[in-house]
Amino acid sequence: MGEKSIQKRKFILETARKVFVEKGFKKVTMKDIVEACDISRGGLYLYFDSTSQIFTEVMKLESEEADDVFSDSIAEDATAADILVLFLQEQKKELLRKKDTLTQAVYEFYFENQPGKKDNILKKQFDAAVKIIEKLIEAGVDNGEFYCEDCAGTARNIMFVVEGLKISAQTIGITADTVDREIVYILKSLGVEI
Amino acid sequence: MGEKSIQKRKFILETARKVFVEKGFKKVTMKDIVEACDISRGGLYLYFDSTSQIFTEVMKLESEEADDVFSDSIAEDATAADILVLFLQEQKKELLRKKDTLTQAVYEFYFENQPGKKDNILKKQFDAAVKIIEKLIEAGVDNGEFYCEDCAGTARNIMFVVEGLKISAQTIGITADTVDREIVYILKSLGVEI
Amino acid sequence: MGEKSIQKRKFILETARKVFVEKGFKKVTMKDIVEACDISRGGLYLYFDSTSQIFTEVMKLESEEADDVFSDSIAEDATAADILVLFLQEQKKELLRKKDTLTQAVYEFYFENQPGKKDNILKKQFDAAVKIIEKLIEAGVDNGEFYCEDCAGTARNIMFVVEGLKISAQTIGITADTVDREIVYILKSLGVEI
Amino acid sequence: MGEKSIQKRKFILETARKVFVEKGFKKVTMKDIVEACDISRGGLYLYFDSTSQIFTEVMKLESEEADDVFSDSIAEDATAADILVLFLQEQKKELLRKKDTLTQAVYEFYFENQPGKKDNILKKQFDAAVKIIEKLIEAGVDNGEFYCEDCAGTARNIMFVVEGLKISAQTIGITADTVDREIVYILKSLGVEI
DNA sequence: CATGAATGAGAGTTCATTCAT
DNA sequence: GATGAATGAACTCTCATTCAT
């Protein structure tokens, strides 16, 4: 596969991403992607075999980029609390955008695709996030910002709240206020007064 | 609509429920339901117009019955903590069953159907659950079982954790242990030592 | 399936037969049959799942009818030689028609479908024909019409010649003369002078 | 066309042959051949326009080589009967191999390609074989090995039996025994006792 | 009320064939 | 000569939905 093909491959994934953002996962057909990319039916099949394959690749790209974005926005002299708040604000922004996210598509995808936990990207991301938050809290506890008996437990709990907020945003709908209240609740439980 | 019709309607809904449990929402076709009910294609259309309509009705039935079940299992002399634990255990049982629940179908349904928050059953259920838990916590605080500064906030937080666990069960998969740890975490935050 | 359905089923098979006669087996698509029958795409699928299934059923019908036709044309006072000649003439007629026969389609079908010899209709027909010819020859030997040392062997040999003529008609092309010469050759080998 | 081109042409034909042996004629696509040869799609079109053309050339090669093989295996002092048996054994070997032969592909090809009998290779081969067998029988008659009234007729008959066995091998399936019985039958009819 | 045959739009997929490089 | 990306037609199969009975 030449350089050009790689470009086109990437173009397809980026275009497909928009389609998934707009329609979720299940409703998207190969035809939808073909039309969005303005290529021929057969052309798409040269690169990908199914919407599942395309979606998996889109997710890979997504997670690579996501890491970068987050690391980039951490200031040099940020405190643990700063970083935690930044992380939660990031989540908030994403879940409130709602109609500009892959979230729904990701959920739909995993509803029907749960290949043994081994290559479940979502699980990896979740576990990785828990680990990062745990480290963060530990650091915060060390320098007296946070108070916390069970850092691992708290980290996990925070992530389940985040997940709860995310799915709620997609189903029952939530407001910025609701998210803020949860953020405050979390910080308070860490002994941070605002 | 005669008595017989009402019976048939109910029969269809109960049978359709099984189909939704098994296949989620989106994948279910009118044909699936027709076949599961062993009625004629046209026959189904006499009662319902679409899978969405059927699913909405199934959810209504579901929520009515759910309330009953929960109230029934509360002992006369139960303490607030008992009831809260009972509620959480109930949730745990449901989310671990996973392949015997409407959960996934419900999520899928709301992914594409969010009629103004007015008649969003899911939201009503969520809000109702928050209210109940709030009352429960208040009662517990009153009789010294719980310690809690912001009962409403805690109730909301608990429900978001529950939602987080539910969606995680459907996507990344979780174990009984994970749920137990969250339950313990919640109780601890209410000052209950186990 | 009601009476009407049975009629339609039969209608489809008869129409499909014409298509197979014209195009062989492999080249025929469900679409071809749909168009020949002037029914809808989905309509055909109500009755049959694939061209293979349709073809199998066409062959069944065919073999039922074939038996009848042959028995009908045997005169009361026919001699063994008469009947043998009649049989061979029947084959000749069929193989010379060529473009009005299922022969080619049958061959194509068996090229890719050889389910264990159990339900190989073609084999059954072949074996049955051998048996009949054997009986015929034995009868002829008994009444002095034929001379033959190994009736079973001769019967088998005749059928292989018939098969050879049939496939040759489809591939290299043969004339009436060629067939006649073979018929004479067969009769001579049975001691019949013409 | 340079030397290199000629080599490549030959390479394609030899590779394509394997594909035809494996899949017959109709099922083979240009894509199949491209992949088997591991050349580019466009590349194949530089040499050949269609599977039909390729197949025709494959058959030409085949028939040239076949002649050589047969002549080579005839011993210096072989009798007419020896040679005839050798020929029939050769046919037997080929038709029992079945899944290692072009037979099926050849039949399929002629089912849809019968360019005026002029350049029908199959017919030429058939006629040539008849001639050879005829000469052979005549030779055998001359030196007293065979008894035969109509050498040409017998030769033709033998070839039709061979054709019958070949097509039967592809459709109803036959055993080595069946072929042996036919060989014995043929020899007996020539007055050869075994 | 109930049936189930019938329709036709639309999704997935594969290939022969072309053409810019 | 050779490549392989690209196209678009053609085929299979499935359903929501209608309608005569």
Side-chain angles (χ1 to χ4, degrees):
Chain A
M1 199 186 296
E3 171 61 23
K4 233 175 98 189
S5 290
I6 294 176
Q7 286 307 312
K8 181 141 186 189
R9 215 183 132 82
K10 214 177 156 205
F11 164 73
I12 292 175
L13 288 177
E14 279 161 2
T15 312
R17 188 190 177 284
K18 290 176 205 155
V19 182
F20 287 124
V21 161
E22 198 178 323
K23 312 182 79 167
F25 171 67
K26 278 200 179 163
K27 231 180 10 206
V28 173
T29 68
M30 289 298 265
K31 202 187 159 213
D32 289 332
I33 296 173
V34 155
E35 280 164 7
C37 295
D38 199 28
I39 57 176
S40 68
R41 255 165 148 59
L44 179 55
Y45 280 90
L46 289 178
Y47 296 89
F48 304 100
D49 288 330
S50 64
T51 53
S52 285
Q53 195 203 337
I54 299 176
F55 190 70
T56 309
E57 308 254 359
V58 167
M59 276 195 294
K60 270 185 212 156
L61 234 70
E62 187 81 357
S63 68
E64 284 162 19
E65 286 165 12
D67 294 346
D68 297 345
V69 169
F70 184 55
S71 337
D72 288 357
S73 51
I74 298 180
E76 286 295 307
D77 57 348
T79 65
D82 285 344
I83 299 176
L84 183 59
V85 169
L86 183 65
F87 170 79
L88 293 173
Q89 292 296 345
E90 206 60 50
Q91 301 295 323
K92 173 185 165 191
K93 218 171 17 178
E94 191 179 319
L95 65 84
L96 287 178
R97 253 184 341 203
K98 196 183 153 237
K99 269 299 140 202
D100 192 25
T101 330
L102 273 184
T103 314
Q104 179 179 323
V106 170
Y107 285 145
E108 283 184 19
F109 177 77
Y110 280 104
F111 283 164
E112 53 179 18
N113 292 288
Q114 275 155 312
K117 287 160 196 169
K118 286 286 154 55
D119 54 348
N120 184 318
I121 299 181
L122 204 57
K123 182 165 172 50
K124 278 185 200 152
Q125 290 178 346
F126 184 90
D127 291 339
V130 169
K131 267 278 166 289
I132 291 173
I133 296 178
E134 191 184 334
K135 295 287 174 215
L136 208 54
I137 296 179
E138 281 172 359
V141 168
D142 285 349
N143 67 20
E145 285 179 80
F146 296 150
Y147 168 76
C148 172
E149 284 177 26
D150 169 13
C151 296
T154 304
R156 247 191 333 262
N157 180 263
I158 290 173
M159 278 307 294
F160 280 123
V161 172
V162 168
E163 282 300 309
L165 287 167
K166 265 161 86 174
I167 185 67
S168 296
Q170 298 291 332
T171 52
I172 66 180
I174 58 176
T175 63
D177 259 18
T178 308
V179 186
D180 287 337
R181 278 191 305 210
E182 287 306 312
I183 294 180
V184 169
Y185 189 92
I186 287 170
L187 292 174
K188 246 193 226 159
S189 77
L190 283 168
V192 178
E193 288 304 326
I194 305 182
Chain B
M1 197 188 293
E3 171 61 24
K4 239 172 93 187
S5 290
I6 294 178
Q7 286 307 312
K8 184 149 185 185
R9 220 183 128 80
K10 212 178 158 200
F11 166 72
I12 293 174
L13 289 176
E14 280 162 0
T15 311
R17 187 189 178 282
K18 290 177 205 157
V19 182
F20 287 124
V21 162
E22 200 177 323
K23 312 182 78 168
F25 171 67
K26 278 201 178 162
K27 231 179 11 206
V28 173
T29 66
M30 289 298 263
K31 198 189 164 213
D32 289 332
I33 296 172
V34 155
E35 279 165 8
C37 294
D38 200 27
I39 56 175
S40 69
R41 261 163 139 75
L44 179 56
Y45 280 88
L46 290 176
Y47 294 89
F48 304 100
D49 289 331
S50 66
T51 54
S52 286
Q53 194 202 338
I54 298 176
F55 189 71
T56 309
E57 309 259 356
V58 167
M59 276 196 294
K60 271 185 210 157
L61 234 68
E62 187 81 357
S63 66
E64 283 163 18
E65 286 164 11
D67 294 346
D68 297 345
V69 170
F70 184 56
S71 332
D72 287 358
S73 51
I74 298 180
E76 287 295 308
D77 57 349
T79 64
D82 285 344
I83 299 176
L84 182 60
V85 169
L86 183 65
F87 170 78
L88 294 173
Q89 291 296 345
E90 207 60 48
Q91 301 294 323
K92 173 185 166 190
K93 220 172 16 178
E94 193 180 317
L95 64 84
L96 286 178
R97 253 184 342 200
K98 195 181 156 242
K99 268 300 140 202
D100 194 25
T101 330
L102 273 184
T103 314
Q104 181 179 321
V106 171
Y107 285 145
E108 284 183 19
F109 177 77
Y110 280 103
F111 283 163
E112 55 179 15
N113 293 286
Q114 278 155 311
K117 287 159 197 170
K118 285 288 153 52
D119 54 348
N120 184 318
I121 299 180
L122 204 56
K123 181 163 175 50
K124 278 185 199 155
Q125 289 179 347
F126 184 90
D127 291 341
V130 170
K131 266 277 165 291
I132 291 173
I133 296 177
E134 190 183 336
K135 295 289 174 213
L136 207 53
I137 296 179
E138 280 171 359
V141 168
D142 285 350
N143 67 21
E145 284 179 81
F146 297 149
Y147 167 79
C148 172
E149 285 179 24
D150 171 12
C151 296
T154 304
R156 248 190 334 263
N157 180 264
I158 290 173
M159 278 308 292
F160 280 123
V161 172
V162 168
E163 282 299 309
L165 287 168
K166 265 161 85 173
I167 185 69
S168 296
Q170 299 290 333
T171 52
I172 66 179
I174 57 175
T175 62
D177 260 20
T178 308
V179 186
D180 287 335
R181 279 191 304 211
E182 288 306 312
I183 294 181
V184 170
Y185 189 92
I186 287 170
L187 291 174
K188 249 195 223 155
S189 79
L190 283 167
V192 179
E193 289 304 324
I194 304 182
Chain C
M1 198 186 294
E3 171 62 25
K4 234 175 97 188
S5 290
I6 294 177
Q7 286 307 313
K8 182 144 186 187
R9 217 184 132 80
K10 215 179 155 199
F11 165 73
I12 292 174
L13 288 177
E14 279 161 2
T15 312
R17 188 189 176 284
K18 289 177 206 156
V19 181
F20 287 124
V21 162
E22 200 178 322
K23 311 182 80 168
F25 170 68
K26 278 199 178 164
K27 235 189 352 217
V28 174
T29 67
M30 289 298 265
K31 201 188 159 213
D32 289 331
I33 296 173
V34 156
E35 278 164 9
C37 294
D38 199 29
I39 56 176
S40 68
R41 255 165 151 59
L44 180 55
Y45 280 91
L46 289 177
Y47 296 88
F48 304 100
D49 288 330
S50 65
T51 53
S52 285
Q53 195 202 338
I54 299 176
F55 190 70
T56 309
E57 309 253 359
V58 167
M59 276 195 294
K60 270 185 212 157
L61 233 70
E62 187 82 358
S63 68
E64 284 163 18
E65 286 165 11
D67 293 347
D68 297 345
V69 169
F70 184 56
S71 335
D72 288 358
S73 51
I74 298 179
E76 285 296 306
D77 57 348
T79 65
D82 285 345
I83 298 175
L84 183 60
V85 169
L86 183 64
F87 170 79
L88 294 173
Q89 292 296 345
E90 206 61 48
Q91 301 295 324
K92 173 186 165 188
K93 220 172 13 181
E94 192 180 318
L95 65 85
L96 287 178
R97 253 185 341 200
K98 196 183 151 234
K99 270 298 140 203
D100 193 26
T101 330
L102 273 184
T103 315
Q104 179 179 323
V106 170
Y107 285 145
E108 284 183 17
F109 177 77
Y110 279 104
F111 283 164
E112 54 179 17
N113 293 287
Q114 277 155 312
K117 288 160 193 170
K118 285 289 153 52
D119 54 348
N120 184 318
I121 299 180
L122 204 56
K123 181 164 173 51
K124 277 185 200 153
Q125 289 179 347
F126 184 90
D127 291 340
V130 170
K131 267 277 166 289
I132 291 172
I133 296 177
E134 191 183 335
K135 295 287 173 213
L136 208 53
I137 297 180
E138 279 172 0
V141 169
D142 285 349
N143 68 21
E145 285 180 78
F146 296 149
Y147 169 77
C148 173
E149 283 178 28
D150 170 13
C151 297
T154 305
R156 250 191 330 263
N157 181 263
I158 290 174
M159 277 309 293
F160 280 123
V161 172
V162 168
E163 283 299 308
L165 288 167
K166 265 162 87 174
I167 186 66
S168 296
Q170 298 290 334
T171 52
I172 65 179
I174 57 176
T175 62
D177 259 18
T178 308
V179 186
D180 286 337
R181 278 191 305 210
E182 288 306 312
I183 295 181
V184 169
Y185 189 93
I186 287 170
L187 291 173
K188 248 195 225 157
S189 77
L190 283 167
V192 179
E193 289 303 326
I194 305 182
Chain D
M1 197 187 296
E3 172 61 23
K4 237 172 94 188
S5 291
I6 294 177
Q7 286 306 312
K8 184 149 183 186
R9 218 183 129 81
K10 211 176 159 205
F11 165 73
I12 293 174
L13 289 177
E14 279 161 3
T15 312
R17 188 189 177 284
K18 289 176 207 156
V19 182
F20 287 124
V21 162
E22 201 178 322
K23 313 182 76 168
F25 170 69
K26 279 201 178 164
K27 235 186 0 212
V28 174
T29 67
M30 289 298 264
K31 197 187 165 214
D32 289 332
I33 296 173
V34 155
E35 280 165 7
C37 294
D38 200 28
I39 56 175
S40 69
R41 262 163 138 74
L44 179 55
Y45 279 88
L46 290 177
Y47 295 88
F48 305 100
D49 290 331
S50 65
T51 54
S52 286
Q53 194 203 337
I54 298 175
F55 190 70
T56 310
E57 309 259 358
V58 167
M59 276 195 295
K60 270 185 210 155
L61 234 69
E62 186 82 358
S63 67
E64 284 163 19
E65 287 164 11
D67 293 346
D68 297 346
V69 170
F70 184 56
S71 333
D72 287 358
S73 51
I74 298 180
E76 286 296 307
D77 58 348
T79 64
D82 285 343
I83 298 176
L84 182 59
V85 168
L86 184 66
F87 169 79
L88 293 173
Q89 291 296 346
E90 207 59 50
Q91 301 295 322
K92 173 186 165 190
K93 220 172 16 181
E94 191 180 318
L95 65 85
L96 287 179
R97 255 186 338 204
K98 196 181 154 242
K99 268 300 138 203
D100 193 28
T101 330
L102 273 184
T103 315
Q104 180 179 323
V106 171
Y107 286 145
E108 283 184 18
F109 177 78
Y110 280 104
F111 282 164
E112 54 180 17
N113 292 288
Q114 276 154 316
K117 286 161 196 170
K118 287 287 152 56
D119 54 348
N120 184 319
I121 299 181
L122 203 56
K123 181 163 173 50
K124 279 184 199 154
Q125 289 179 345
F126 184 90
D127 291 341
V130 169
K131 266 281 167 285
I132 291 173
I133 296 177
E134 191 183 334
K135 294 289 175 212
L136 208 53
I137 296 179
E138 279 172 0
V141 168
D142 285 351
N143 67 19
E145 284 180 81
F146 297 149
Y147 168 77
C148 172
E149 284 179 25
D150 170 12
C151 297
T154 304
R156 247 190 336 262
N157 180 263
I158 289 174
M159 278 308 293
F160 280 123
V161 172
V162 168
E163 283 299 310
L165 287 167
K166 266 161 85 173
I167 185 68
S168 296
Q170 299 289 334
T171 51
I172 65 179
I174 57 175
T175 63
D177 259 20
T178 307
V179 186
D180 287 335
R181 278 192 305 212
E182 288 306 312
I183 295 181
V184 170
Y185 190 92
I186 288 170
L187 291 173
K188 247 194 224 158
S189 79
L190 283 168
V192 179
E193 289 303 326
I194 304 181

